[in-house]
Amino acid sequence: MYAIVEIAGQQFKVAKDQKVYVHRLPEAEGSKVTFDNVMLIEDKGNVTIGAPAIEGAGVTAKILGHLKGDKVIVFKKKRRKGYKKKNGHRQYLTEIQIEGISASGVKKAAAKKEAPKAEAKEESKDLSSMTVAELKALAKEKGISGYTSLKKAELIEALSK
């Protein structure tokens, strides 16, 4: 059984007990993570393809450690001009071990919803600490006409109404 799953913006073909190096994940070492963006699952000849992802499918993995990849040298040169530029890069990686692949029963991670009413109250209190450009952008969002010629104090007064 294998699956094609998107992890940290890249797609990987994974199987149970496989170790994979992926771009750095924010979770701590030893923690378990679930990836719910599964594009394809193959199980004993049965292939399930998602459009774009399979609903309810998931891949669970354990984070083994955080490390840095091999150094890559970037060298640029223009002949007969005396131009040489040498840079190096080491990618931050996370080593994970795939613990299981499930075709159904995995809940999607709930998207964090912020209360827009709470933000509106905070904005009215902090209008004086905002820049003129931010105030003008806020006035444009609220549909206030003639905001471009207003000064900071006038913008604050118009937005607080």
Side-chain angles (χ1 to χ4, degrees):
M1 179 177 200
Y2 71 87
I4 296 177
V5 62
E6 183 176 335
I7 303 171
Q10 293 182 320
Q11 294 178 9
F12 294 92
K13 179 181 176 183
V14 296
K16 189 174 185 329
D17 297 327
Q18 179 183 5
K19 291 183 181 177
V20 181
Y21 293 100
V22 299
H23 287 303
R24 180 67 58 101
L25 298 174
E27 287 82 10
E29 292 183 17
S31 64
K32 295 188 181 200
V33 291
T34 302
F35 305 107
D36 54 5
N37 200 359
V38 180
M39 305 338 182
L40 180 139
I41 293 179
E42 188 275 334
D43 187 20
K44 299 175 186 170
N46 295 332
V47 178
T48 306
I49 301 174
I54 301 171
E55 290 292 324
V59 174
T60 57
K62 181 179 181 182
I63 295 180
L64 300 177
H66 299 295
L67 54 130
K68 288 173 103 175
D70 294 335
K71 187 170 222 178
V72 177
I73 304 297
V74 180
F75 186 73
K76 299 177 183 179
K77 179 182 177 183
K78 294 185 180 176
R79 63 183 189 158
R80 297 189 303 269
K81 306 293 183 199
Y83 173 79
K84 293 179 186 176
K85 196 69 158 174
K86 182 178 178 182
N87 284 319
H89 175 73
R90 290 186 72 184
Q91 184 68 41
Y92 291 102
L93 300 172
T94 299
E95 183 181 12
I96 61 172
Q97 182 170 11
I98 306 300
E99 292 186 338
I101 300 169
S102 61
S104 62
V106 176
K107 295 180 181 178
K108 290 230 178 216
K112 295 180 182 177
K113 295 184 179 180
E114 297 179 14
K117 294 179 183 177
E119 287 181 10
K121 290 178 184 177
E122 291 175 10
E123 287 176 6
S124 63
K125 293 176 186 175
D126 295 336
L127 289 177
S128 59
S129 64
M130 295 174 76
T131 63
V132 176
E134 292 171 341
L135 289 171
K136 285 185 179 181
L138 190 60
K140 184 178 181 182
E141 289 175 12
K142 290 193 175 185
I144 298 172
S145 61
Y147 66 90
T148 55
S149 61
L150 297 177
K151 295 181 179 158
K152 186 173 182 175
E154 294 168 341
L155 281 167
I156 292 171
E157 183 180 336
L159 288 170
S160 61
K161 290 182 182 178

